[in-house]
Amino acid sequence: MMVPPISRFPVPALDQLPEDVRSRILAVQEKAGFVPNVFLALAHRPDEFRAFFAYHDALMEKESGLSKAEREMIVVATSGANQCQYCVVAHGAILRVRARNPLIADQVAVNYRKADLSARQRAMLDFALKVSLHAAEVGDADFASLHAHGFTEQDIWDIGAVAAFFAMSNRLANMTSMRPNDEFFLMGRLPKA
């Protein structure tokens, strides 16, 4: 059986990439044990690769009132709503690992309203979905609801920024037909040996 391509656009060879892009990809490979296809697909345009991952890291790796698992919940829920296979699969794997819960990603991707979440997390995802799908409708009542659940203004910015960034990412992944790595499907589902 032939393996489908990871992107409908050309994927450059590592040795043909600018040094900083190649180094970033090799560092990810060292840490993860494989290269997530998003790195290879976006390397097609090095300037955009740099900008994408700089903003990704600014949102997803910083200290925040949201846990890293909660940020991944936002990605999985909004990516499910945007029908982005790559992001649901890849970030679902990261969510399972960060939440230490093999069930949570599937629940959140399909219907977070039925998932085993706290009321606070549901409110967070309600807002994230609104930003992702209906940003023009965001208003004071949305902020009041989040404040009632203990979210600060900075937390609300983080929720909205993660949702907005991944709305763009979902569209880019769908446009390129980005294929999730097989490694993601089992990550965080079984205890490590």
Side-chain angles (χ1 to χ4, degrees):
M1 186 169 101
M2 192 173 115
V3 176
I6 65 168
S7 173
R8 70 172 28 120
F9 291 88
V11 175
L14 283 177
D15 63 357
Q16 296 177 345
L17 292 172
E19 178 56 34
D20 63 316
V21 173
R22 181 174 50 253
S23 293
R24 172 78 189 252
I25 291 171
L26 293 174
V28 168
Q29 181 179 33
E30 176 73 23
K31 182 177 180 183
F34 65 99
V35 178
N37 288 340
V38 66
F39 288 88
L40 299 172
L42 295 183
H44 173 68
R45 300 187 67 166
D47 287 341
E48 292 169 41
F49 174 103
R50 292 178 189 103
F52 180 93
F53 286 108
Y55 196 39
H56 171 278
D57 294 351
L59 293 171
M60 302 301 285
E61 300 300 328
K62 71 177 184 168
E63 289 298 318
S64 170
L66 307 177
S67 72
K68 287 185 177 185
E70 287 173 331
R71 284 175 266 179
E72 293 297 339
M73 278 181 204
I74 294 167
V75 178
V76 173
T78 58
S79 296
N82 287 320
Q83 300 180 12
C84 181
Q85 181 186 51
Y86 184 89
C87 291
V88 167
V89 172
H91 289 275
I94 298 167
L95 173 55
R96 288 189 299 272
V97 169
R98 291 199 165 154
R100 294 179 178 88
N101 180 340
L103 308 178
I104 194 67
D106 296 330
Q107 293 176 357
V108 168
V110 173
N111 184 352
Y112 73 90
R113 292 170 192 89
K114 307 275 187 202
D116 298 327
L117 300 175
S118 68
R120 178 182 184 275
Q121 290 167 331
R122 268 192 206 84
M124 172 187 78
L125 295 179
D126 285 342
F127 184 70
L129 266 289
K130 194 167 190 177
V131 169
S132 183
L133 302 172
H134 305 287
E137 297 172 16
V138 170
D140 292 342
D142 300 302
F143 282 76
S145 174
L146 291 169
H147 287 303
H149 284 92
F151 290 103
T152 67
E153 289 290 312
Q154 292 303 313
D155 297 336
I156 295 169
W157 180 283
D158 288 344
I159 296 165
V162 171
F165 175 77
F166 279 94
M168 182 273 298
S169 179
N170 296 159
R171 285 153 180 79
L172 191 57
N174 277 328
M175 184 268 298
T176 63
S177 292
M178 200 178 298
R179 184 174 188 277
N181 300 66
D182 292 346
E183 291 90 341
F184 284 128
F185 288 92
L186 294 180
M187 277 178 62
R189 293 191 189 275
L190 302 171
K192 288 188 178 183

